[in-house]
């Protein structure tokens, strides 16, 4: 075997993050649209880096990339390290990409050491984890397990661009197996799925934790669009008691939901509620006009499926009540569900032990954001996650992960996938 060139983990990571920023910057932040130019550019950078390390890169049938050591023929059960290559519009540079680069560094270290592993380690670079473009999260992993449906394929990019199916076909993907719900990933060949990711909230910064171990991942129930239809009219001519104003109806609905949310939190339940898209119709709204309709998105997240379903029923019940009181009606597009997931107890234990062996403080935290790890876990693959400290939140241009913290996370990941080998 030809020896791989010596590489510096810190230097390589810094170079790759810089290249990604240059290639996929949009003038404000980072945009890597799934099955589009930005995601393709990121995957090309990752492929080039992997091949420069002497690794083998292959695309699976749905255009995710699999990276393996040259002595691994790809057939034996393996430990997979994965993450996603896409981003939200005007997002940050570390969300998703950090996990892929961490996997490449682990493989690079293994190759450099010449160590022969009992169980292979592979990196899977997944497409389409973010829901920002098509309303469905974890596309690249869901399609592997036959759980992408016809409505997902017909969803349009940000509501008006090409459909997801069209974008996937343009990437060279055959949609026939996807439409049939075929399972395209053999779970018997996956001993584990591990994912390193930046934390997307403020907890680790507040607690001065460079890394943490993830206990579980919140699921969600969403509507891409709910329309509240009322009756348009002149703002000065229609008194309150005769109005059918969808904006005030929406405002009342949100107030009612907020009160239910507060009550459930006081009872110790895990729940977050968001309406991230709200708008009247720009084609006909005006300062002096009562709008005829308002559109909004709806999302709830929890680690408990029972909590999700209970709050969703409250949502629909309050829509009915507000509709009757305000003289409006609510129309719903298809409900989209992502199941909560518990990370594997054995993997949590191994990640925790390795964290302490690396001399790092240990804390086990839940993930409020969704990740591909949830899809693998719910498909029966033992899964685990490492969080790396990140300032300023995520899904914005100000993500701020320190390379030193990132490399500590890589140390944990490398230690776990090579332990016992």
């Amino acid at each position: 075997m030809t020896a791989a060139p010596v590489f510096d983990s810190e230097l390589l990571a810094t170079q790759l993050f810089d290249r990604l920023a240059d290639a996929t910057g949009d003038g404000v932040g980072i945009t890597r649209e799934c099955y589009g130019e930005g995601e393709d550019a990121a995957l090309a950078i990752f492929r080039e880096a992997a091949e420069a390390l002497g690794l083998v890169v292959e695309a699976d049938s749905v255009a995710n990339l699999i990276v393996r050591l040259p002595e691994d023929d790809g057939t034996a059960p393996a430990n997979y390290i994965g993450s996603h290559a896409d981003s939200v519009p005007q997002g940050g540079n570390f969300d998703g990409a950090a996990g892929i680069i961490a996997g490449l560094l682990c493989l690079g270290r293994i190759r450099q050491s010449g160590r022969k592993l009992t169980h292979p380690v592979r990196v899977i670079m997944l497409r389409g984890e973010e829901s920002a473009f098509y309303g469905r999260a974890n596309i690249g992993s869901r399609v592997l397990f036959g759980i992408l449906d016809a409505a997902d394929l017909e969803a349009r990019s940000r509501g008006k661009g090409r459909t997801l199916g069209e974008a996937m076909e343009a990437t060279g993907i055959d949609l026939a197996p996807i439409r049939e719900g075929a399972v395209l990933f053999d779970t018997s060949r996956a001993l584990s799925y591990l994912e390193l990711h930046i934390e997307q909230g403020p907890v680790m910064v507040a607690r001065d934790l460079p890394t943490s171990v993830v206990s579980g991942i919140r699921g969600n129930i969403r509507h891409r669009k709910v329309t509240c239809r009322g009756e348009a009219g002149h703002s000065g001519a229609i008194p309150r008691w005769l109005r059918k104003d969808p904006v005030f109806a929406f405002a009342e609905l949100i107030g009612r939901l907020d009160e239910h949310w507060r009550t459930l939190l006081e009872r110790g339940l895990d729940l977050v509620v968001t309406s991230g898209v709200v708008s009247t119709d720009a084609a006909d709204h005006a300062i002096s006009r009562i709008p005829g309709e308002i559109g909004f998105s709806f999302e709830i997240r929890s680690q408990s499926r029972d909590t999700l379903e209970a709050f969703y029923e409250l949502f629909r019940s309050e829509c009915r009540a507000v509709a009757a009181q305000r003289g409006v009606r609510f129309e719903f597009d298809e409900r989209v569900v992502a199941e909560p997931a518990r990370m594997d107890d054995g993997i949590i234990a191994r990640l925790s032990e390795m964290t302490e062996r690396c001399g790092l403080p240990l804390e086990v935290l839940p993930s409020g954001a969704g990740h591909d790890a949830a899809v693998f876990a719910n498909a029966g693959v033992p899964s685990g996650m490492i969080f790396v400290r990140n300032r300023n939140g995520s899904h914005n241009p100000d993500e701020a992960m320190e390379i030193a913290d990132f490399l500590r996370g890589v140390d944990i990941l490398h230690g776990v996938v090579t332990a016992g080998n």
Side-chain angles (χ1 to χ4, degrees):
M1 181 180 70
T2 304
V6 176
F7 71 96
D8 180 309
S9 293
E10 180 176 357
L11 177 61
L12 179 58
T14 301
Q15 290 174 339
L16 286 175
F17 284 123
D18 287 347
R19 288 186 63 193
L20 286 171
D22 290 341
T24 62
D26 55 27
V28 176
I30 299 296
T31 298
R32 300 193 273 262
E33 180 171 352
C34 58
Y35 306 99
E37 181 180 351
E39 188 182 63
D40 286 346
L43 288 171
I45 290 170
F46 295 141
R47 177 188 280 274
E48 181 183 333
E51 291 175 345
L53 293 172
L55 305 173
V56 178
V57 184
E58 296 175 329
D60 66 14
S61 62
V62 288
N64 300 314
L65 296 185
I66 311 294
V67 186
R68 54 185 170 82
L69 292 163
E71 59 269 26
D72 170 19
D73 66 5
T75 61
N79 294 301
Y80 282 83
I81 299 171
S83 194
H84 61 97
D86 63 324
S87 79
V88 300
Q90 297 184 349
N93 198 33
F94 303 114
D95 182 354
I100 291 177
I101 294 173
L104 293 179
L105 292 183
C106 286
L107 284 184
R109 290 182 184 184
I110 294 167
R111 177 154 166 74
Q112 185 66 47
S113 70
R115 187 172 184 173
K116 302 297 183 182
L117 301 180
T118 305
H119 303 297
V121 176
R122 300 178 193 132
V123 173
I124 181 167
M125 306 179 188
L126 295 159
R127 289 183 176 265
E129 190 266 359
E130 302 290 359
S131 63
F133 290 97
Y134 293 99
R136 166 64 80 185
N138 311 122
I139 297 167
S141 54
R142 290 178 68 86
V143 72
L144 291 176
F145 299 105
I147 50 176
L148 201 68
D149 60 29
D152 295 325
L153 293 173
E154 294 305 314
R156 294 191 175 275
S157 178
R158 309 207 69 174
K160 58 187 177 182
R162 62 183 177 174
T163 68
L164 174 59
E166 291 168 344
M168 294 177 83
E169 285 185 314
T171 310
I173 297 170
D174 179 7
L175 294 185
I178 299 170
R179 295 189 188 280
E180 294 167 2
V183 176
L184 306 173
F185 185 91
D186 183 358
T187 57
S188 69
R189 292 171 57 193
L191 299 173
S192 67
Y193 174 88
L194 299 173
E195 184 169 350
L196 179 148
H197 204 282
I198 56 170
E199 192 205 11
Q200 294 172 276
V203 174
M204 292 173 64
V205 170
R207 296 182 183 174
D208 194 25
L209 298 169
T211 64
S212 65
V213 177
V214 176
S215 59
I217 299 170
R218 282 176 173 149
N220 64 68
I221 298 177
R222 292 172 167 171
H223 282 283
R224 298 179 178 97
K225 186 175 184 181
V226 181
T227 303
C228 179
R229 300 193 188 278
E231 190 172 280
H234 192 290
S235 65
I238 303 176
R240 184 182 186 279
W241 64 282
L242 289 176
R243 290 191 180 207
K244 299 177 180 179
D245 189 327
V247 172
F248 277 79
F250 168 73
E252 181 168 340
L253 173 67
I254 290 298
R256 292 185 181 206
L257 295 178
D258 188 41
E259 183 61 23
H260 289 307
W261 183 15
R262 182 187 63 78
T263 300
L264 292 175
L265 292 180
E266 289 175 349
R267 295 177 183 173
L269 298 181
D270 176 61
L271 181 70
V272 289
V273 184
T274 307
S275 184
V277 179
V278 181
S279 63
T280 52
D281 188 346
D284 59 19
H285 64 198
I287 294 173
S288 60
R289 187 175 192 265
I290 301 167
E293 66 180 54
I294 185 171
F296 60 95
S297 64
F298 173 77
E299 181 197 73
I300 49 177
R301 297 188 186 222
S302 177
Q303 293 184 77
S304 165
R305 179 62 189 267
D306 289 343
T307 300
L308 287 173
E309 290 293 350
F311 196 86
Y312 182 77
E313 288 306 314
L314 273 175
F315 163 63
R316 295 299 291 256
S317 175
E318 291 293 12
C319 285
R320 291 190 291 270
V322 170
Q325 179 176 323
R326 293 277 182 175
V328 299
R329 70 181 188 276
F330 290 90
E331 299 173 358
F332 307 86
D333 68 358
E334 185 175 0
R335 188 176 91 150
V336 177
V337 179
E339 297 289 345
R342 169 73 185 177
M343 297 295 95
D344 181 80
D345 288 336
I347 293 178
I348 291 172
R350 293 199 294 274
L351 291 170
S352 299
E353 179 185 1
M354 190 58 61
T355 297
E356 292 180 326
R357 287 178 59 183
C358 290
L360 297 169
L362 171 63
E363 188 149 352
V364 181
L365 300 173
S367 173
H371 302 283
D372 291 301
V375 179
F376 280 85
N378 287 329
V381 178
S383 300
M385 288 191 70
I386 302 165
F387 272 166
V388 174
R389 177 169 50 191
N390 164 61
R391 297 183 184 278
N392 306 325
S394 183
H395 287 190
N396 69 68
D398 298 321
E399 289 175 358
M401 178 193 72
E402 298 291 337
I403 292 294
D405 290 342
F406 170 69
L407 293 175
R408 290 167 174 167
V410 174
D411 289 342
I412 297 169
L413 195 62
H414 177 264
V416 168
V417 296
T418 58
N421 277 305

